[in-house]
Amino acid sequence: MFGKLLDSNERQIKKLAPLLQQINLLEDEYSQLTDEKLKLKTMAWKEALRKLTVEEQDKYLEEILPQAYALVREATKRTQNIRLHDVQMISGIALHQGKISEQKTGEGKTNTATLPLYLNSLTGKGVHLVTPNDYLARHGAGWMGPVYELLGVSVGCIMQEKAFFYDALFKGQAFQDEYAIHLKEVSRAEAYKADITYGTNHEFGFDYLRDNMVASLEEMAQTNAVGDWGIHNFAIVDEVDSILIDVARTPLIISAAYAQPTERYHQAASIVRQLIRDTDYEIEEKYKNAYLTDLGIRRVEKMLGVSHLYEEDFEMVHLIEQTLRAHTVYEKDKDYVVKEGRIVVVDQFTGRLLPSNRYSQGVHQALEAKEGVAIQEESRTMAEISYQNYFRMYKKLSGMTGTAVTEAEEFYKIYKLEVLVVPTDKSIIRRDHNDLVYKTEAAKYQAAADDIEEKFKAGQPVLVGTTSVEKSQLLHDFLKHRRIPHEILNAKNHEKEALIIAQAGRKHAVTVSTNMAGRGVDIKLGGDPGSEKERQEVIALGGLHVVGTERHESRRIDNQLRGRSGRQGEPGSSRFFVSLQDDLMRIFGGAQVEGLMNRFGLDENIPLESGLVSKAIENAQKKVEGFNFDRRKQVVEMDDVINVHRDVIYKLRRRVLDLADGNLEMKDWFIEKIGQYSDFSDKDWARYEQKFGQEVWLSGLGRISLPVIDILWMDHLVIMDQLREGIGLRGYAQRDPMVEYKKEGHERFEALVAKVYSSIAERLTAALEVETSQSPKVKERISKSARGVRYQQGELESGVADETRYAKDGQVGEAIQVEKVVAGQDKVGRNDPCPCGSGKKYKKCHGS
């Protein structure tokens, strides 16, 4: 009893009891309302909220919460024949309060989300439900669509390259998912204008970046942002630990392809194949890095016929180091797959393919050379943002998952999000057996196959979790040899995910899957659809049995896999099979366990099973989790610096767009800023406006200013990237790299802002002067101004950065990149004008 009084989580749940009581008291009353009266309540609340200030709106939402939640419960009963449980109401209240709700698998998170989504959508500012993949986005929007329609709120869905609107009268054939047939394709802007929008984390993030690259306000998609500068209103992040923690190491990047010779990658690959491990190069598996030794550098110099590699061909140093990593620490069918002549990145936490993503810094091209597929052009970053800083833009953020409490500290430190563990509606009776640890991987797979075969013969369904495509194929071979029929689900056939998982709970079913089966989709005993008779037979056999063939580096991923079994009070069981040759044990914690096995003289086919072993494995996972937390913290600290820069530049860009669109409130601001760097004044504005008319003048002002901002911002991203890679070396001079990065970043940003305004002023002045003078001097100045800012040609591509580029010095030894001098151009003299068009001498500008 004393322990419960001290339990913060228990106290928080008790505080919500009065609200829950108010909701339950309204249930009978609302069951008497007609469908029309349900909609009328929504309309009345929307109208009332429209007249209030932001602070008043927040207070009003708190007042109507019990009524709104009771209304959603009634709408769910009428459309889905489901009554939302009290624990779902508690979870829904926590989500509205901006917390993370930990609800176990099968507790109905999808339905829970409708409560705070509906309540917060009443403000008309748009709310977002963020999912980890397209399937869950369209499934959620389609499945919950009837609930929202009955309540009188609209629903949109954002997917890769497409957007949809829920329309009950529309019946399309685009998706096999029965719940998604009423999704009608619309523009992205229309989907965002819906009261509630479902979509994936990367699509929300990329749309934000794309909105800050448009040439006019009409091209923007996320038009329902709060205020003038794109602050988002409210989001619930589904599988919040996956999105805000697991994938947060890799920022979102939009880049433009630009030509680079590909033969040098083939040359680098040829050199790397001749190098010898531990002689010419060394590998740091823990940091996913490989680097040349002194002997290796000498050997490469001999192959290339150069005396000093770092002085004569620094670009080749970079290519060889990235090629080394591609050949040694990036594994086929684990980190990437080769599909249709392309290298496709595999999400390490879900096992899903990421076809739009490319590794940065030349790693992707090095992998293409390694696998002998066509090498794509390198790209230049045009816009980037970390997941942390994107989601911290929301006025209110919350999340839900089955596994959050182990990362509660990180959620609070990075996002200021508290975690509330919501009790299950029914007690969990699943049996989680101790891990079995074997000396070799072969012995482990034999034992796992024995366990699967035993359960299969008895009729008990089995879900097998693996950590990579390669390991799932290996187990597939084991089962095939034993003639055990099974389904296999990995990145190579993920299109069938929903169909395979739907039948994973049938009698005699064996499903081998990568981590993708661990999230989002319920496995129903007896199949879906299935008979009650078969369901009862499976329950009698012990429910779904989960087999883990390897411990993941995160305890949460293991818990997600276990959580597929034993949902809603059903029986189930789980067992993990581990070997000392597994990556986790080999790199982080196997020595202690191996010592125990040797001490007892255990044969490789005899497993070790004890609490001490489980503790050693847990300690190994804690080590990795701590290591990854440090890396994510490094990402967000680095991105916090550039986030300030990004905020200023995007606000500047939005003001120019507003001005070009006819918003004259920005006129005085523009004249004042530009006037600080030139003689441009009100008189010049009036003269130009009179000459061309207001509309043409404002449009021209936008066309002149936006390329300046965009190109110089791209240059700044390159500069900051180079600074970020080399800043760790300051530690050798007893200086804090982060302090130095902030200081130098601030100095370079001040230079960027001055350059932006001065360049805009120069182009405007040149444009004005051409009206009054045609002298050669003026023409030369105009030509020079035009050369200095030019859009880069190339197809846009989106992707994630290679996470290691943010790592601390000592963890990753990447070379500092330099801009390549294009062969065939005349050499620029130190005292010649700089080709960038700044007007300065080359030695004082890009030659400094």
Side-chain angles (χ1 to χ4, degrees), residues 412-441:
Y412 190 76
K413 283 186 175 178
I414 302 293
Y415 304 99
K416 296 292 183 283
L417 289 171
E418 294 179 10
V419 175
L420 181 71
V421 181
V422 179
T424 55
D425 185 51
K426 295 176 182 175
S427 299
I428 296 174
I429 59 172
R430 183 185 67 242
R431 294 177 61 203
D432 296 325
H433 299 286
N434 286 334
D435 295 4
L436 294 179
V437 183
Y438 293 82
K439 273 190 173 182
T440 65
E441 195 172 53

Side-chain angles (χ1 to χ4, degrees), residues 452 455-456 458-464 503-511 523-527 534 537-539 541-547 565 573:
I452 295 165
K455 299 294 189 295
F456 165 72
Q460 187 175 1
V462 182
L463 174 68
V464 189
Q503 305 309 324
R506 300 206 70 161
K507 201 173 176 183
H508 294 288
V510 176
T511 309
I523 296 175
K524 295 181 179 178
L525 300 186
E534 185 172 345
E537 287 175 353
V538 171
I539 287 174
L541 289 166
L544 180 69
H545 179 60
V546 170
V547 172
S565 173
S573 56

Side-chain angles (χ1 to χ4, degrees), residues 538-728:
V538 171
I539 287 174
L541 289 166
L544 180 69
H545 179 60
V546 170
V547 172
T549 58
E550 193 170 331
R551 281 287 194 167
H552 197 273
E553 63 181 39
S554 168
R555 286 170 294 169
R556 288 178 295 101
I557 308 297
D558 293 341
N559 291 339
Q560 283 281 351
L561 179 61
R562 273 193 166 129
R564 309 319 300 164
S565 173
R567 58 186 292 278
Q568 282 291 315
E570 293 174 340
S573 56
S574 71
R575 168 88 79 181
F576 276 84
F577 293 82
V578 182
S579 89
L580 297 181
Q581 293 177 337
D582 294 346
D583 289 345
L584 177 74
M585 299 299 288
R586 185 169 49 81
I587 300 171
F588 287 97
Q592 183 184 2
V593 181
E594 187 174 16
L596 275 173
M597 297 184 85
N598 291 334
R599 194 175 306 147
F600 292 119
L602 294 178
D603 180 81
E604 70 171 38
N605 292 313
I606 299 175
L608 187 62
E609 178 185 7
S610 75
L612 188 61
V613 172
S614 298
K615 191 70 177 173
I617 293 170
E618 188 177 336
N619 287 338
Q621 289 177 309
K622 283 180 179 177
K623 281 183 189 177
V624 187
E625 287 167 358
F627 169 67
N628 287 336
F629 177 38
D630 288 341
R631 296 178 78 178
R632 289 189 292 268
K633 192 177 174 189
Q634 179 82 353
V635 170
V636 78
E637 284 177 353
M638 288 285 190
D639 197 56
D640 278 345
V641 176
I642 207 163
N643 196 49
V644 176
H645 306 177
R646 184 189 299 112
D647 187 53
V648 172
I649 292 297
Y650 284 0
K651 283 180 179 178
L652 164 62
R653 205 179 185 283
R654 178 62 185 267
R655 282 177 168 174
V656 170
L657 283 172
D658 279 345
L659 189 57
D661 196 52
N663 183 0
L664 292 176
E665 290 180 10
M666 301 295 168
K667 173 184 170 183
D668 292 339
W669 159 81
F670 185 83
I671 294 171
E672 179 189 349
K673 287 291 180 181
I674 299 300
Q676 292 177 16
Y677 299 92
S678 70
D679 297 330
F680 189 83
S681 65
D682 279 286
K683 289 182 181 178
D684 296 315
W685 178 287
R687 189 165 126 229
Y688 219 42
E689 195 173 45
Q690 186 177 10
K691 174 75 178 175
F692 295 106
Q694 188 182 90
E695 187 177 345
V696 175
W697 156 233
L698 292 177
S699 175
L701 183 147
R703 286 200 303 272
I704 287 172
S705 303
L706 291 175
V708 175
I709 298 168
D710 293 344
I711 295 299
L712 293 179
W713 175 240
M714 285 166 61
D715 289 342
H716 181 70
L717 289 176
V718 172
I719 291 167
M720 292 299 292
D721 199 29
Q722 293 171 359
L723 177 63
R724 182 164 46 209
E725 287 183 11
I727 203 70

Side-chain angles (χ1 to χ4, degrees), residues 51-343:
K51 300 171 183 176
L52 303 176
T53 65
V54 173
E55 292 76 16
E56 290 170 337
Q57 284 181 345
D58 291 341
K59 189 176 178 182
Y60 188 78
L61 291 179
E62 295 292 336
E63 291 172 0
I64 66 169
L65 184 148
Q67 300 171 64
Y69 279 27
L71 206 67
V72 175
R73 176 184 265 171
E74 182 58 32
T76 307
K77 273 198 283 190
R78 295 186 189 186
T79 57
Q80 298 184 345
N81 198 28
I82 294 172
R83 181 189 179 273
L84 298 181
H85 303 301
D86 285 0
V87 289
Q88 288 174 291
M89 293 291 164
I90 290 170
S91 179
I93 296 167
L95 292 172
H96 170 70
Q97 292 174 346
K99 294 177 182 176
I100 290 173
S101 166
E102 179 177 293
Q103 279 181 284
K104 299 302 178 188
T105 303
E107 290 297 298
K109 291 190 289 291
T110 308
N111 275 108
T112 297
T114 60
L115 298 160
L117 286 174
Y118 167 72
L119 176 62
N120 286 271
S121 74
L122 297 172
T123 63
K125 294 171 182 172
V127 296
H128 299 164
L129 190 285
V130 186
T131 69
N133 60 64
D134 279 348
Y135 170 75
L136 291 177
R138 72 169 188 257
H139 183 83
W143 186 20
M144 297 299 115
V147 178
Y148 297 128
E149 186 188 41
L150 182 57
L151 292 168
V153 292
S154 55
V155 188
C157 177
I158 300 290
M159 290 170 56
Q160 190 173 344
E161 298 177 357
K162 291 185 177 180
F164 301 88
F165 212 83
Y166 180 83
D167 183 349
L169 299 178
F170 177 78
K171 189 171 182 180
Q173 302 298 322
F175 307 109
Q176 291 181 336
D177 183 357
E178 62 176 299
Y179 298 113
I181 59 173
H182 298 298
L183 295 182
K184 182 179 181 181
E185 189 169 350
V186 294
S187 69
R188 288 178 101 77
E190 285 180 275
Y192 275 113
K193 282 175 183 172
D195 295 315
I196 298 166
T197 306
Y198 284 70
T200 60
N201 51 317
H202 49 271
E203 288 305 310
F204 282 125
F206 281 135
D207 281 341
Y208 168 74
L209 292 177
R210 284 189 282 259
D211 275 357
N212 286 285
M213 297 170 63
V214 297
S216 67
L217 293 176
E218 290 75 27
E219 297 174 43
M220 294 183 75
Q222 292 181 344
T223 52
N224 57 2
V226 178
D228 296 330
W229 313 121
I231 300 169
H232 295 64
N233 181 33
F234 173 54
I236 298 174
V237 182
D238 190 13
E239 306 298 354
V240 65
D241 55 322
S242 174
I243 292 172
L244 295 191
I245 290 182
D246 292 338
V247 301
R249 278 185 283 174
T250 50
L252 295 159
I253 290 178
I254 290 180
S255 54
Y258 79 129
Q260 280 279 29
T262 58
E263 65 274 6
R264 302 211 81 193
Y265 284 103
H266 290 299
Q267 185 184 12
S270 175
I271 290 170
V272 164
R273 289 189 185 103
Q274 300 175 59
L275 299 180
I276 302 168
R277 182 174 180 173
D278 297 330
T279 301
D280 299 322
Y281 65 89
E282 293 183 358
I283 297 174
E284 292 180 312
E285 286 187 82
K286 190 183 292 187
Y287 306 112
K288 216 171 180 66
N289 186 38
Y291 57 90
L292 292 169
T293 61
D294 289 341
L295 190 63
I297 293 168
R298 302 287 85 80
R299 192 167 181 199
V300 171
E301 287 174 342
K302 191 174 180 181
M303 290 183 200
L304 292 172
V306 298
S307 302
H308 302 286
L309 181 61
Y310 280 81
E311 292 178 15
E312 296 177 49
D313 198 348
F314 191 78
E315 185 201 17
M316 182 53 81
V317 176
H318 174 72
L319 290 180
I320 287 174
E321 287 183 337
Q322 300 302 59
T323 302
L324 259 179
R325 295 175 64 206
H327 280 249
T328 59
V329 297
Y330 283 82
E331 297 179 37
K332 184 180 177 181
D333 290 339
K334 180 179 179 182
D335 299 295
Y336 65 92
V337 297
V338 179
K339 189 174 184 181
E340 298 174 357
R342 290 178 58 223
I343 300 293

Side-chain angles (χ1 to χ4, degrees), residues 355-426:
S356 297
N357 293 3
R358 291 176 64 82
Y359 292 113
S360 67
Q361 306 289 308
V363 171
H364 209 94
Q365 286 79 6
L367 288 171
E368 288 165 336
K370 170 188 173 183
E371 299 296 342
V373 301
I375 298 178
Q376 305 296 317
E377 292 179 331
E378 283 196 40
S379 54
R380 186 181 184 192
T381 299
M382 298 182 73
E384 67 174 310
I385 190 170
S386 68
Y387 279 111
Q388 290 101 324
N389 275 320
Y390 173 72
F391 283 109
R392 289 195 298 187
M393 286 193 304
Y394 281 87
K395 177 172 164 270
K396 183 166 68 176
L397 181 67
S398 62
M400 52 190 189
T401 180
T403 48
V405 74
T406 56
E407 312 295 341
E409 180 185 2
E410 182 169 350
F411 280 125
Y412 190 76
K413 283 186 175 178
I414 302 293
Y415 304 99
K416 296 292 183 283
L417 289 171
E418 294 179 10
V419 175
L420 181 71
V421 181
V422 179
T424 55
D425 185 51
K426 295 176 182 175

